[in-house]
Amino acid sequence: MAVLTKKQIAQAKVLYKACKSGVAPDNKTKKELVELYNQIHQTRYKPTTNCGSCLRIVFDGISKIALQNE
């Protein structure tokens, strides 16, 4: 994993709190989750994806970052 900036960690915490149940409250939040994950891990998930397994990987990755940096 790449070195994270303070801004990325802060954004991960905000997004994790918004999606604590594992479900994004809206498409904007889902898009931000995917874009942040892509930025950190250099992946190419489409921000508009509805693939359940893809979104689970993204959520798990962001939650791991948020929880490790509390």
Side-chain angles (χ1 to χ4, degrees):
M1 180 168 37
V3 177
L4 301 174
T5 65
K6 289 181 181 181
K7 183 178 178 181
Q8 289 172 326
I9 293 170
Q11 187 177 7
K13 288 179 181 181
V14 169
L15 291 171
Y16 175 71
K17 286 180 184 175
C19 305
K20 234 179 190 176
S21 66
V23 178
D26 54 34
N27 284 334
K28 180 181 179 240
T29 305
K30 180 180 76 168
K31 182 180 176 184
E32 289 176 11
L33 273 168
V34 174
E35 289 174 346
L36 179 62
Y37 185 85
N38 284 341
Q39 182 183 50
I40 292 170
H41 295 282
Q42 278 83 46
T43 56
R44 293 186 190 178
Y45 290 110
K46 290 184 180 181
T48 57
T49 188
N50 284 320
C51 169
S53 61
C54 300
L55 292 172
R56 173 54 54 189
I57 290 168
V58 169
F59 176 74
D60 289 346
I62 296 300
S63 64
K64 185 177 178 181
I65 292 168
L67 294 173
Q68 283 180 349
N69 292 288
E70 283 191 313

